[in-house]
Amino acid sequence: MRKLYPARSLLIWPTLPLDVYFRSNSVWKPFPLDQANCRVFSLARQAIWNTCAALGLHPNDTVLVPAYHHGSEIEALLQAGLQVRYYEVNQNLEPEPEELQSLMSTDVRALYIIHYLGFPQDAAFWRQWCDNRGILLIEDAAQALLATLNDKPVGSFGHMGVFCLYKTYGLPDGGAVIADFPPPRPTGQSNSGSWRVFKRHINWLATRRKELGYFHLMLKPIQTNLNRFWNRINKRIHKEFEVGDVSSPPTRMTKFLIPKIVDEKTADRRRENYRFLLKHLGDMVPAPFAFLPEGASPFAFPIEVNEPRDFLARLRLKGVMGLLFWLNPHPSLPVDEFPRSRLLREGVLALPVHQELSFENLQQIVDSVKEVQVNLAVPAIPAF
Ligand SMILES: Cc1ncc(COP(=O)(O)O)c(C=O)c1O
């Protein structure tokens, strides 16, 4: 194993500043939290599961879903008793109307689109497309809280819009849904969320203090490997897709922290950070993300590389904890029938872009990526 040198440790997940407890509650609420027909669960997948029934989707109804997906959203639909039929995304990561048309049959009741990495899809067009065929539009804005399309929030075009609060803010959990007919509020017991809050604080400190970042970088892979081992011995190989208890409300810490952490400037900060990275690393960015639309609220900064695992391992040694973006599809996907989605899964690395990053953090990302690119001629190192 290569020697680590002290470096700030940067994750793609937003961190939680220590001063958050002293902040006053914001009067501004982001969409959809400001809407009466919004419901908040612990996770977005639970929100999806509950809203399917509320919208009148019945067992064996079919939903057209993208082959390029996280996997948990697909699992939620299947657990709700629905059938999924996959479509391929085009070069802009949009569905192709002709392909969708060829997948239509009388049992198709909804189209599912994803606003990838906080970049808005043309949801207005897809709403019209669905209305013309009498089916529902489900907008997955899990990565796109705060994103807008023509000044309208994404997630507001569909019959259902679903969001992850913890992907945009350093919260322990939170999956919000807005729907024409929302489900009942979750009735389960709230967990405290303190341990995850503690970890988000540590992550915040590790982006600021090199000494802490150093330990963070050493401990993180151990934690990841222990989790993997634990899941394997418990035969939970698809744990990342599990829906869990569908009546789970958000944790008590999430409820307490939401009004303290939300900020009207968050999307601007993310766009600013994205633009900085685009300026320095733009030639590595996959085409659909190479231009930043005004209404985007980027969740991560994607780069395309030849040897993503090797690249990732080398970046980690420099303190940049990227993510192989959606490496594993849902097991129901016939992977070989969707070559573009497969290529995206195999080649796209996501880097941090969140609002808590400082200028030094962004510079560290740029320098690290450039150094790894130059050094790739050196023999590969094992992932730790
Ligand atoms: C596109 C997409 N949809 C849905 C989800 C599910 O979100 P959650 O983890 O809150 O259930 C995710 C999670 O990563 C996602 O990326």
Side-chain angles (χ1 to χ4, degrees):
M1 191 195 297
R2 289 277 175 89
K3 194 170 175 296
L4 282 173
Y5 62 87
R8 297 181 183 95
S9 166
L10 312 174
L11 278 100
I12 68 163
W13 301 103
T15 56
L16 190 58
L18 294 179
D19 72 355
V20 67
Y21 305 97
F22 305 106
R23 297 183 189 173
S24 45
N25 287 353
S26 161
V27 282
W28 173 78
K29 282 185 187 176
F31 182 89
L33 302 180
D34 58 346
Q35 302 292 309
N37 51 343
C38 169
R39 302 285 180 267
V40 185
F41 292 77
S42 177
L43 294 174
R45 61 197 77 182
Q46 295 154 357
I48 296 168
W49 187 96
N50 281 281
T51 312
C52 283
L55 282 178
L57 291 168
H58 299 297
N60 293 324
D61 284 346
T62 297
V63 184
L64 303 180
V65 294
Y68 192 42
H69 56 248
H70 176 257
S72 57
E73 70 288 59
I74 305 295
E75 184 64 18
L77 297 172
L78 293 173
Q79 293 276 325
L82 304 169
Q83 305 288 324
V84 295
R85 194 169 294 160
Y86 287 105
Y87 65 81
E88 182 62 294
V89 290
N90 68 15
Q91 67 278 12
N92 301 320
L93 303 186
E94 291 162 349
E96 273 296 336
E98 293 75 26
E99 187 196 356
L100 287 188
Q101 194 56 46
S102 73
L103 295 173
M104 286 298 288
S105 56
T106 49
D107 53 337
V108 172
R109 291 285 318 283
L111 168 66
Y112 197 103
I113 60 168
I114 298 181
H115 297 286
Y116 298 101
L117 292 183
F119 281 56
Q121 296 258 333
D122 192 353
F125 172 86
W126 293 115
R127 174 62 193 249
Q128 189 61 57
W129 192 91
C130 287
D131 285 350
N132 292 346
R133 287 156 184 82
I135 66 171
L136 304 178
L137 175 66
I138 304 178
E139 271 187 275
D140 185 324
Q143 304 180 334
L145 182 76
L146 312 180
T148 57
L149 175 71
N150 305 330
D151 293 329
K152 258 189 91 182
V154 305
S156 66
F157 295 85
H159 299 84
M160 177 199 312
V162 65
F163 306 79
C164 289
L165 307 180
Y166 67 91
K167 285 192 173 77
T168 298
Y169 292 108
L171 298 164
D173 66 346
V177 68
I178 181 155
D180 293 359
F181 300 99
R185 290 174 205 284
T187 51
Q189 248 200 321
S190 285
N191 291 324
S192 96
S194 321
W195 171 240
R196 272 179 272 167
V197 162
F198 174 72
K199 287 199 290 185
R200 295 268 183 155
H201 281 318
I202 294 291
N203 295 348
W204 184 82
L205 284 169
T207 62
R208 277 159 175 74
R209 308 290 315 175
K210 283 186 178 175
E211 310 75 25
L212 194 68
Y214 179 73
F215 284 109
H216 196 249
L217 287 168
M218 284 200 299
L219 292 178
K220 196 82 187 140
I222 298 173
Q223 187 209 353
T224 308
N225 286 331
L226 276 178
N227 279 346
R228 272 197 206 128
F229 175 70
W230 184 249
N231 292 338
R232 206 172 313 134
I233 60 171
N234 284 301
K235 299 198 168 39
R236 293 172 75 182
I237 46 169
H238 296 305
K239 182 168 182 287
E240 61 195 300
F241 306 143
E242 285 175 13
V243 177
D245 179 355
V246 292
S247 64
S248 302
T251 58
R252 295 196 291 282
M253 284 309 275
T254 289
K255 286 188 220 166
F256 172 72
L257 289 171
I258 285 173
K260 300 198 176 293
I261 192 92
V262 295
D263 184 342
E264 271 179 287
K265 295 270 182 299
T266 303
D268 287 341
R269 285 293 314 276
R270 284 177 171 261
R271 280 193 292 267
E272 236 172 74
N273 292 350
Y274 196 96
R275 266 186 226 110
F276 180 87
L277 296 176
L278 207 50
K279 185 168 145 208
H280 296 279
L281 304 173
D283 53 338
M284 303 177 78
V285 175
F289 303 108
F291 167 76
L292 182 70
E294 229 170 79
S297 178
F299 164 61
F301 185 79
I303 55 171
E304 223 164 3
V305 294
N306 283 333
E307 305 280 352
R309 284 168 202 272
D310 192 13
F311 208 98
L312 200 65
R314 288 168 190 265
L315 271 184
R316 275 194 192 149
L317 294 177
K318 297 176 185 300
V320 180
M321 311 268 248
L323 196 73
L324 260 172
F325 188 52
W326 289 354
L327 182 62
N328 304 312
H330 190 273
S332 65
L333 179 77
V335 177
D336 293 338
E337 291 174 27
F338 299 94
R340 179 172 281 120
S341 296
R342 197 183 63 203
L343 280 179
L344 287 162
R345 286 182 196 285
E346 288 170 0
V348 177
L349 251 178
L351 302 176
V353 74
H354 62 77
Q355 66 275 16
E356 301 296 341
L357 295 173
S358 63
F359 175 73
E360 286 76 25
N361 296 155
L362 292 169
Q363 196 61 55
Q364 181 182 338
I365 296 171
V366 171
D367 293 344
S368 303
V369 170
K370 288 191 169 168
E371 281 165 32
V372 170
Q373 233 185 343
V374 169
N375 291 341
L376 258 182
V378 177
I381 45 170
F384 59 93

